[in-house]
Coordinates of all heavy atoms in Angstrom, one line a residue:
R862 N -25.3 7.2 7.1 CA -24.7 8.5 7.4 C -24.2 8.5 8.9 O -23.1 9.0 9.2 CB -25.7 9.6 7.3 CG -25.1 11.0 7.5 CD -26.0 12.1 7.3 NE -25.2 13.4 7.3 CZ -24.9 14.0 8.4 NH1 -25.2 13.5 9.6 NH2 -24.2 15.1 8.4
K863 N -24.9 7.9 9.8 CA -24.5 7.8 11.2 C -23.2 7.0 11.3 O -22.3 7.4 12.0 CB -25.6 7.1 12.0 CG -25.3 6.9 13.5 CD -26.5 6.1 14.1 CE -26.1 5.6 15.5 NZ -25.9 6.7 16.5
F864 N -23.1 5.9 10.5 CA -21.9 5.1 10.5 C -20.7 5.9 10.0 O -19.7 6.0 10.6 CB -22.1 3.9 9.7 CG -21.0 2.9 9.8 CD1 -20.9 2.0 10.8 CD2 -20.0 2.9 8.8 CE1 -19.8 1.1 10.9 CE2 -19.0 2.0 8.8 CZ -18.9 1.1 9.9
R865 N -20.9 6.6 8.9 CA -19.9 7.3 8.2 C -19.4 8.4 9.2 O -18.2 8.7 9.3 CB -20.4 8.0 7.0 CG -19.4 8.7 6.1 CD -20.1 9.5 5.0 NE -20.7 10.7 5.5 CZ -21.6 11.4 4.8 NH1 -22.0 11.0 3.6 NH2 -22.1 12.5 5.3
Y866 N -20.3 9.0 9.9 CA -20.0 10.1 10.8 C -19.2 9.6 12.1 O -18.3 10.2 12.6 CB -21.3 10.7 11.3 CG -21.2 12.1 11.8 CD1 -21.2 13.2 11.0 CD2 -21.1 12.3 13.2 CE1 -21.1 14.5 11.5 CE2 -21.0 13.6 13.7 CZ -21.0 14.7 12.9 OH -20.9 15.9 13.4
E867 N -19.6 8.4 12.6 CA -19.1 8.0 13.9 C -18.0 7.0 13.9 O -17.3 6.8 14.9 CB -20.3 7.5 14.8 CG -21.3 8.5 15.1 CD -22.5 8.0 15.9 OE1 -22.4 6.9 16.5 OE2 -23.5 8.8 16.0
A868 N -17.8 6.3 12.8 CA -16.8 5.2 12.8 C -15.4 5.8 12.8 O -15.1 6.7 12.0 CB -17.0 4.3 11.6
Y869 N -14.5 5.2 13.6 CA -13.1 5.7 13.7 C -12.3 4.9 12.7 O -11.6 3.9 13.1 CB -12.5 5.5 15.1 CG -13.2 6.2 16.2 CD1 -13.0 5.7 17.5 CD2 -14.0 7.3 16.1 CE1 -13.6 6.3 18.6 CE2 -14.6 8.0 17.1 CZ -14.4 7.5 18.4 OH -14.9 8.1 19.5
A870 N -12.4 5.2 11.5 CA -11.5 4.6 10.5 C -11.3 5.6 9.3 O -12.2 6.4 9.1 CB -12.2 3.3 9.9
G871 N -10.2 5.5 8.7 CA -9.9 6.4 7.6 C -10.5 6.2 6.3 O -10.5 7.0 5.4
N872 N -10.9 4.9 6.0 CA -11.5 4.5 4.8 C -12.8 3.9 5.1 O -12.9 2.9 5.9 CB -10.6 3.6 4.0 CG -9.3 4.2 3.7 OD1 -9.2 5.2 2.9 ND2 -8.2 3.6 4.2
I873 N -13.9 4.4 4.6 CA -15.3 3.9 4.9 C -15.9 3.3 3.7 O -15.9 4.0 2.6 CB -16.2 5.1 5.5 CG1 -15.6 5.6 6.8 CG2 -17.6 4.6 5.7 CD1 -15.6 4.8 8.0
G874 N -16.5 2.1 3.8 CA -17.2 1.5 2.7 C -18.7 1.5 3.1 O -19.1 1.0 4.1
I875 N -19.5 2.0 2.2 CA -21.0 1.9 2.4 C -21.5 1.0 1.2 O -21.5 1.4 0.1 CB -21.6 3.3 2.4 CG1 -21.1 4.1 3.5 CG2 -23.2 3.2 2.4 CD1 -21.5 5.5 3.6
N876 N -21.9 -0.2 1.6 CA -22.3 -1.3 0.7 C -21.1 -1.6 -0.3 O -21.3 -2.0 -1.4 CB -23.5 -0.9 -0.1 CG -24.7 -0.7 0.8 OD1 -24.9 -1.6 1.7 ND2 -25.5 0.3 0.6
V877 N -19.9 -1.4 0.2 CA -18.7 -1.6 -0.5 C -17.7 -2.4 0.5 O -17.6 -2.0 1.6 CB -18.0 -0.3 -0.9 CG1 -16.5 -0.5 -1.4 CG2 -18.8 0.3 -2.1
G878 N -17.1 -3.5 0.0 CA -16.3 -4.3 0.9 C -14.8 -4.1 0.9 O -14.1 -4.5 1.8
V879 N -14.3 -3.4 -0.1 CA -12.9 -3.1 -0.2 C -12.9 -1.6 -0.6 O -12.9 -1.2 -1.7 CB -12.1 -3.9 -1.2 CG1 -10.6 -3.5 -1.2 CG2 -12.2 -5.4 -0.9
A880 N -12.9 -0.7 0.5 CA -13.1 0.7 0.2 C -11.7 1.3 -0.1 O -11.2 2.2 0.6 CB -13.7 1.4 1.4
A881 N -11.1 0.8 -1.2 CA -9.8 1.3 -1.6 C -9.9 2.6 -2.3 O -10.5 2.7 -3.3 CB -9.1 0.3 -2.5
P882 N -9.3 3.7 -1.7 CA -9.3 5.0 -2.4 C -8.7 4.9 -3.8 O -7.6 4.3 -3.9 CB -8.5 5.9 -1.5 CG -8.5 5.2 -0.2 CD -8.5 3.7 -0.5
M883 N -9.4 5.5 -4.7 CA -8.8 5.6 -6.1 C -7.6 6.6 -6.0 O -7.4 7.3 -5.0 CB -9.8 6.1 -7.1 CG -11.0 5.2 -7.2 SD -10.7 3.7 -8.0 CE -10.6 4.2 -9.8
A884 N -6.8 6.6 -7.1 CA -5.5 7.3 -7.0 C -5.7 8.8 -6.8 O -4.8 9.5 -6.3 CB -4.8 7.1 -8.4
Q885 N -6.9 9.3 -7.0 CA -7.1 10.8 -6.8 C -7.4 11.1 -5.4 O -7.6 12.3 -5.0 CB -8.3 11.3 -7.7 CG -8.2 11.1 -9.2 CD -8.6 9.7 -9.7 OE1 -8.8 8.8 -8.9 NE2 -8.8 9.6 -11.0
Y886 N -7.4 10.1 -4.5 CA -7.8 10.3 -3.1 C -6.6 9.7 -2.2 O -6.0 8.8 -2.6 CB -9.1 9.6 -2.7 CG -10.3 10.2 -3.3 CD1 -10.7 10.0 -4.6 CD2 -11.0 11.2 -2.6 CE1 -11.8 10.6 -5.1 CE2 -12.1 11.8 -3.1 CZ -12.5 11.5 -4.4 OH -13.6 12.1 -5.0
P887 N -6.5 10.3 -1.0 CA -5.4 9.7 -0.1 C -5.9 8.4 0.5 O -7.1 8.2 0.7 CB -5.3 10.8 1.0 CG -6.6 11.5 1.0 CD -7.1 11.5 -0.4
F888 N -4.9 7.5 0.7 CA -5.2 6.2 1.3 C -5.2 6.4 2.8 O -4.2 6.3 3.5 CB -4.1 5.2 0.9 CG -4.5 3.8 1.1 CD1 -5.0 3.0 0.0 CD2 -4.5 3.2 2.4 CE1 -5.4 1.7 0.3 CE2 -4.9 1.9 2.6 CZ -5.4 1.1 1.5
S889 N -6.4 6.7 3.3 CA -6.5 7.3 4.7 C -6.5 6.4 5.9 O -7.5 6.4 6.6 CB -7.7 8.2 4.7 OG -7.5 9.3 4.0
G890 N -5.5 5.6 6.2 CA -5.6 4.8 7.4 C -5.5 5.7 8.6 O -5.0 6.8 8.6
W891 N -6.1 5.2 9.7 CA -6.1 5.9 11.0 C -5.5 5.0 12.1 O -5.3 3.8 11.9 CB -7.5 6.3 11.4 CG -8.2 7.5 10.8 CD1 -7.8 8.1 9.7 CD2 -9.4 8.1 11.3 NE1 -8.7 9.1 9.4 CE2 -9.7 9.1 10.4 CE3 -10.3 7.9 12.3 CZ2 -10.8 10.0 10.5 CZ3 -11.4 8.7 12.5 CH2 -11.6 9.7 11.6

Side-chain angles (χ1 to χ4, degrees):
R862 185 178 189 278
K863 177 181 169 70
F864 185 82
R865 185 187 79 192
Y866 198 87
E867 295 180 14
Y869 299 159
N872 300 298
I873 298 288
I875 298 176
N876 297 318
V877 166
V879 181
M883 299 291 281
Q885 299 87 343
Y886 289 84
F888 197 102
S889 286
W891 280 15

